[in-house]
Amino acid sequence: MKIGLATQMFLALILGCICGLIVSAVGINPAHFKPLGDVFITLIRMVVVPLVFFTLIAGSSSISDLHKLGSIAVKTLIYYVGTTAIAVTIGVIIANVVQPGVGLTISTEGVKALNVNPPSLVKVFMDIIPLNPFDALSKGNMLQVIFFALFVGMACSTLRKELEVVNRVFEGLAEIMLKITSVVMLYAPIGVFALMTFTVGTYGLDVLLPLLKLIVAMFIASVLHVLLCYIPCIRFTGLKIKHFFSVVASPLLIAFSSTSSAAALSSNLQSVQKLGASKPVSTFMIPLGNTINMDGAAIYMGVASVFAAALYGIDLTIDKQLLIIVMAVLASIGSIGVPGAALIMITMVFTQIGIPLEAIAIIAGVDRILDMMRTSLNVLGDATGAVLVSKLEGDFVLPEEEAK
């Protein structure tokens, strides 16, 4: 019996956890497993930029009506901003209920704040426009790549019939990159196993216990966001919940084990198209969402802010909690294309409400576990958005097995 890729990766994840505990117990250095995981991440990142570039050009060039492209863009931004606002609100509410920082005694003596300087919002938006498109491609600056690819695609959509061969070339290149991606994914179970062995072997269970309530609060808020926000959107499309999650299992497992949205991008793009999302919508939303849609990070900001405030004895009044929500939504957009986005986002929020930045160093002890949850949620949010907007645009095609 042939075992599907998603099942293989799930088994690899479980075996990786077990192996990590064994490695930690017998004293073997878990770093020995890391190169196998790094190979997987590097292979995925190798295909991400050309895949996004060619698929986005092929998708946008197929939309001859620029009004339709604008309609997709507006619906996309409304979805991203709306779900982010819901996410951070849920995070703040759950943190107030669970109160992860109350009663916790962690010494802050000698803990130094991480030196992070958030860029101004104006600079962030100016940096969307690439000075040199080829430099953006070589450096993997995804938002600049998306910006340039959209321009190329829109230009292609205006070509005369005798030049339509250019569009077919880009469509062919996109298919080639998808084929390469499917080959790379054959290595995924090995990569997932190695990454989980390294993570569990390095961090173990001891580091989790002092901040267990913080992890639990993050988990509860993430599950609630899925139930209250994503599930209704999925049901609206007509997809069965079980089928949806079985198809997106691969990108979710990649996101969870690698803590990299970029690593899951190509798999997520293929998954949503298999679910029935149109190429124009999916090739626009998935790369863009990979850069600016951060529901998981928004929940993290809400939970971490309430946790840190309680840890330092700071009273979070209603107006400060509302400020957290507003700042989290703005920060999720304002951290576009910036490495270490979640760290910069939480720094911006802490600064605004007067929480010492030293709290970030305390949270860093379990950040890998929190990062697994928030990255998975980010990727799930992108997938949900792609099928939802396709449905709203009238481009959604229900898979045959769902239509029966």
Side-chain angles (χ1 to χ4, degrees):
M1 185 180 68
K2 186 178 179 181
I3 302 176
L5 182 62
T7 305
Q8 291 179 39
M9 286 194 291
F10 179 73
L11 292 173
L13 187 146
I14 299 299
L15 290 173
C17 292
I18 296 170
C19 185
L21 292 173
I22 294 172
V23 162
S24 178
V26 301
I28 298 174
N29 187 354
H32 294 324
F33 292 86
K34 194 170 185 291
L36 291 173
D38 289 341
V39 167
F40 174 57
I41 299 299
T42 304
L43 284 171
I44 288 292
R45 287 180 172 172
M46 174 187 74
V47 301
V48 162
V49 173
L51 175 68
V52 169
F53 184 67
F54 293 130
T55 53
L56 194 52
I57 291 175
S60 56
S61 65
S62 66
I63 307 175
S64 57
D65 184 4
L66 294 182
H67 175 73
K68 182 174 179 60
L69 186 59
S71 174
I72 293 172
V74 170
K75 289 183 177 69
T76 297
L77 291 175
I78 291 174
Y79 169 80
Y80 285 160
V81 173
T83 55
T84 300
I86 294 170
V88 68
T89 303
I90 291 174
V92 170
I93 292 171
I94 294 302
N96 276 290
V97 173
V98 177
Q99 296 186 328
V102 174
L104 189 63
T105 54
I106 297 178
S107 175
T108 58
E109 186 178 350
V111 176
K112 294 183 179 179
L114 299 174
N115 185 22
V116 179
N117 296 311
S120 68
L121 199 58
V122 173
K123 185 180 185 305
V124 166
F125 281 103
M126 286 300 296
D127 285 345
I128 294 174
I129 305 172
L131 181 65
N132 181 345
F134 296 100
D135 183 60
L137 285 165
S138 66
K139 291 181 178 177
N141 189 321
M142 291 307 299
L143 206 66
Q144 291 187 353
V145 170
I146 292 167
F147 185 88
F148 182 62
L150 282 173
F151 262 82
V152 175
M154 286 187 288
C156 287
S157 69
T158 64
L159 293 177
R160 300 188 304 276
K161 279 192 175 181
E162 57 268 27
L163 295 175
E164 283 185 354
V165 65
V166 176
N167 293 339
R168 292 198 292 274
V169 168
F170 280 118
E171 288 172 1
L173 289 169
E175 289 299 322
I176 289 171
M177 292 312 304
L178 287 170
K179 182 63 177 177
I180 293 174
T181 300
S182 64
V183 173
V184 169
M185 289 304 295
L186 295 176
Y187 182 77
I190 298 173
V192 168
F193 169 78
L195 289 168
M196 289 308 299
T197 300
F198 170 73
T199 300
V200 176
T202 300
Y203 298 95
L205 298 176
D206 294 340
V207 73
L208 307 182
L209 297 178
L211 300 175
L212 188 60
K213 285 180 71 177
L214 176 63
I215 297 170
V216 169
M218 178 75 185
F219 177 77
I220 293 172
S222 298
V223 171
L224 275 178
H225 187 62
V226 172
L227 294 175
L228 298 177
C229 195
Y230 297 155
I231 296 297
C233 292
I234 297 166
R235 287 191 182 280
F236 175 77
T237 66
L239 285 167
K240 293 176 183 175
I241 304 300
K242 183 179 179 181
H243 178 67
F244 175 87
F245 279 99
S246 68
V247 174
V248 300
S250 292
L252 289 180
L253 286 169
I254 293 171
F256 184 79
S257 58
S258 69
T259 65
S260 171
S261 295
L265 192 153
S266 54
S267 178
N268 206 22
L269 185 59
Q270 290 177 308
S271 295
V272 296
Q273 289 181 2
K274 184 179 178 182
L275 285 167
S278 67
K279 279 192 175 181
V281 172
S282 59
T283 53
F284 179 79
M285 285 196 71
I286 298 298
L288 184 65
N290 193 263
T291 312
I292 69 170
N293 184 38
M294 301 183 183
D295 289 359
I299 288 176
Y300 166 74
M301 281 187 284
V303 172
S305 297
V306 176
F307 165 81
L311 194 63
Y312 282 89
I314 298 171
D315 182 29
L316 278 185
T317 55
I318 294 296
D319 60 321
K320 284 188 177 181
Q321 296 196 31
L322 290 173
L323 182 59
I324 291 173
I325 295 171
V326 173
M327 282 299 301
V329 174
L330 294 175
S332 67
I333 300 171
S335 59
I336 294 171
V338 179
L343 174 62
I344 292 174
M345 289 161 68
I346 199 68
T347 302
M348 294 166 68
V349 175
F350 279 14
T351 301
Q352 286 295 318
I353 59 178
I355 296 174
L357 296 183
E358 283 78 7
I360 297 173
I362 296 171
I363 297 170
V366 292
D367 189 66
R368 175 78 184 192
I369 307 300
L370 299 176
D371 203 5
M372 287 176 164
M373 286 187 276
R374 64 178 180 249
T375 306
S376 302
L377 203 64
N378 291 345
V379 170
L380 180 59
D382 295 344
T384 303
V387 294
L388 175 65
V389 173
S390 292
K391 179 72 173 180
L392 293 173
E393 283 292 311
D395 294 339
F396 183 75
V397 179
L398 200 66
E400 288 184 10
E401 57 267 37
E402 290 286 276
K404 292 177 183 179

